[in-house]
Amino acid sequence: MEKSEQKLISTVESLAPEILDFTSRMVACASTLGKEAPVLEVMENELSLLGFDPVRVEISPEDLADHPGFAPVPWDYEGRHNLIATRPADAAGGKSALFNGHLDVVSPEPLSRWERDPFDPIEQDGWLYGRGAGDMKAGVAAMTYALHAVNKAGMGLRAPVTIEAVIEEECSGNGALACRNAGIDAEAVLIPEPFGPTILTSQVGVAWFKVLLSGVPVHVLETQSGVNAIEKCYPLFLALRRLEEELNRTIHPAFIGLKHPVNLNIGVIKGGDWPSTVPAAAEFHCRIGFFPGVSFESIRQQVTNCIERAAAEDEWLALNPPSLDFYGFRSEGHSVDANQDAFRTLNDCQMSLTGRPAEEFVSTATTDLRAFVHFGNGQATCFGPIAEKIHADNERVDISSVIHTAKAYALFLARWCSMID
Ligand SMILES: [Zn+2]
């Protein structure tokens, strides 16, 4: 490492308490779907305090309606937005960068499994606990302070850098898409998802859908004359599981070696309201993965055919077909070459900091990379902290890995954007 780079890295080290404090303040905001306002305020204030100039980016379903990546959702965007802040270049000659992170988190339920309040973050044995600590508020803090460290160390950059904090990474991808649609992009995009210090080259596509079924309500004393809408879900579950197996039969080359890369999750089920009444309605919501190269339209057709065929084989469902609605995620997957300039630069940074290269990572989940890979011009990947139990109880992030992420991001800026000392 050059002397100026060493100075930058020690500046990041000196900012470790601030990074941790900022992460904790964000984790304390329970930013589940629709409740992101408080965390956005924390982010906005932090960016302002650090001397950046945050700008709100609205998510307008009207503006995005014709965008091929837009995911229709049943909720609205009133009072909900993304934030961006761009640090302008001090001179010409470098390549631009963008750091993207999401501020939304998934529900911490069931709370009974947590050893502590998920939104009262605590530090213990080198870990920070809390919902969103890993996925991905620590990453947002790391990327923000990596850019701040450049200023604090008194350095300049030969290209602009944008910090982008978005919502709806966990349900639609519409947050990052709205920023992309507003023209925000860069030659390199890094997302500190908590997959560790790795370089993501492939991720699956993801679609969400819900199925609504009706039955015939009767008192249990005449059960035989009713139709149980909940039980009518069974044949559909079995058919969807068969479709999942089919989708895993021909594995995309990038995913060879992974045990079961395409997954169906039956994530929500509702129905009935009384133990002694045959339920007249039921619904279930699913998430299904699909390989890169498969279009959303193709997976939608396959799911539709699967449900229709299963319904046709059931006496009741054949006459009372379930209704199918695709809402939320309709993100296509991608697989890119590991041999790209930005990835090589990032790998060199990891080498300089640890003496070891960054491993390549192939994800069986989606991320906001899709907004940049499919609809942007930059070389985009994920590289971030190490976390455990994301989307589960007692989520935690390894604090040293958060600081390491900030160092790697700062060093990346120094090399990619060409630092002026
Ligand atoms: Zn995430």
Side-chain angles (χ1 to χ4, degrees):
M1 264 194 279
E2 288 174 23
K3 223 166 171 192
S4 58
E5 292 180 342
Q6 280 167 359
K7 185 179 174 193
L8 181 62
I9 295 306
S10 50
T11 304
V12 174
E13 264 161 17
S14 74
L15 289 167
E18 280 90 338
I19 296 173
L20 207 50
D21 176 65
F22 179 34
T23 306
S24 299
R25 281 182 283 120
M26 286 191 284
V27 174
C29 303
S31 51
T32 50
L33 177 62
K35 296 181 181 143
E36 309 91 346
V39 76
L40 281 158
E41 207 178 306
V42 170
M43 183 74 192
E44 201 165 21
N45 289 339
E46 199 77 3
L47 288 167
S48 298
L49 280 170
L50 296 177
F52 302 119
D53 195 11
V55 176
R56 296 180 177 194
V57 179
E58 306 298 330
I59 303 167
S60 158
E62 293 75 41
D63 292 354
L64 291 170
D66 295 330
H67 195 293
F70 178 61
V73 293
W75 50 81
D76 70 26
Y77 288 97
E78 193 73 32
R80 303 170 62 225
H81 56 267
N82 306 296
L83 282 172
I84 61 134
T86 299
R87 181 197 184 282
D90 303 290
K95 285 172 279 189
S96 59
L98 184 152
F99 297 158
N100 163 293
H102 67 86
L103 292 177
D104 54 319
V105 298
V106 297
S107 157
E109 293 290 347
L111 291 175
S112 59
R113 291 186 61 94
W114 285 76
E115 279 162 33
R116 48 184 71 77
D117 180 345
F119 299 111
D120 185 11
I122 70 144
E123 203 186 316
Q124 203 172 62
D125 305 324
W127 294 86
L128 182 76
Y129 289 80
R131 166 60 79 237
D135 190 11
M136 58 172 288
K137 288 166 173 174
V140 171
M143 71 187 202
T144 305
Y145 273 80
L147 183 58
H148 172 58
V150 173
N151 291 343
K152 199 172 181 218
M155 310 287 183
L157 294 172
R158 294 184 181 277
V161 180
T162 299
I163 297 282
E164 179 176 300
V166 302
I167 61 172
E168 291 216 358
E169 189 275 348
E170 299 285 7
C171 55
S172 69
N174 287 340
L177 192 77
C179 291
R180 192 49 220 94
N181 201 46
I184 300 145
D185 203 4
E187 286 161 278
V189 176
L190 301 186
I191 302 184
E193 285 285 1
F195 305 145
T198 54
I199 293 175
L200 189 155
T201 51
S202 302
Q203 69 181 27
V204 297
V206 166
W208 275 13
F209 59 90
K210 67 175 174 190
V211 183
L212 308 178
L213 300 96
S214 59
V216 176
V218 290
H219 188 287
V220 284
L221 60 82
E222 42 178 354
T223 301
Q224 294 311 313
S225 65
V227 175
N228 188 317
I230 293 175
E231 292 187 30
K232 289 296 171 192
C233 295
Y234 293 174
L236 305 188
F237 288 171
L238 295 175
L240 286 167
R241 284 288 174 220
R242 285 192 297 272
L243 172 63
E244 181 192 29
E245 288 325 304
E246 250 168 63
L247 293 174
N248 277 292
R249 217 159 280 151
T250 315
I251 301 214
H252 182 284
F255 293 79
I256 287 170
L258 296 186
K259 221 175 175 185
H260 197 272
V262 163
N263 291 291
L264 166 77
N265 185 53
I266 301 165
V268 177
I269 179 158
K270 301 174 192 169
D273 65 354
W274 198 250
S276 295
T277 299
V278 173
E283 64 181 86
F284 64 91
H285 301 220
C286 299
R287 170 270 193 207
I288 194 161
F290 51 100
F291 284 122
V294 176
S295 69
F296 165 70
E297 281 312 324
S298 154
I299 202 75
R300 168 150 71 183
Q301 204 50 56
Q302 290 181 69
V303 170
T304 305
N305 292 347
C306 166
I307 296 285
E308 282 177 0
R309 259 185 240 131
E313 284 167 19
D314 179 277
E315 214 176 306
W316 169 259
L317 292 176
L319 297 172
N320 302 273
S323 80
L324 177 59
D325 177 26
F326 287 80
Y327 76 100
F329 283 130
R330 47 177 66 190
S331 299
E332 292 178 357
H334 74 259
S335 181
V336 297
D337 191 352
N339 192 22
Q340 301 190 56
D341 289 352
F343 297 7
R344 274 200 303 271
T345 302
L346 185 57
N347 191 50
D348 288 346
C349 295
Q350 175 71 1
M351 283 291 288
S352 297
L353 290 167
T354 66
R356 292 183 305 276
E359 273 173 44
E360 199 174 322
F361 182 66
V362 169
S363 174
T364 56
T366 185
T367 70
D368 273 335
L369 280 178
R370 71 111 197 187
F372 301 97
V373 172
H374 293 297
F375 308 113
N377 302 302
Q379 299 170 8
T381 191
C382 290
F383 177 105
I386 295 164
E388 288 179 356
K389 303 193 86 176
I390 58 174
H391 290 220
D393 54 292
N394 301 301
E395 175 180 349
R396 63 182 192 169
V397 66
D398 176 283
I399 293 167
S400 64
S401 75
V402 179
I403 308 307
H404 174 74
T405 302
K407 287 182 193 172
Y409 274 44
L411 196 53
F412 180 83
L413 292 178
R415 295 178 181 179
W416 182 258
C417 310
S418 281
M419 191 161 70
I420 309 162
D421 54 15

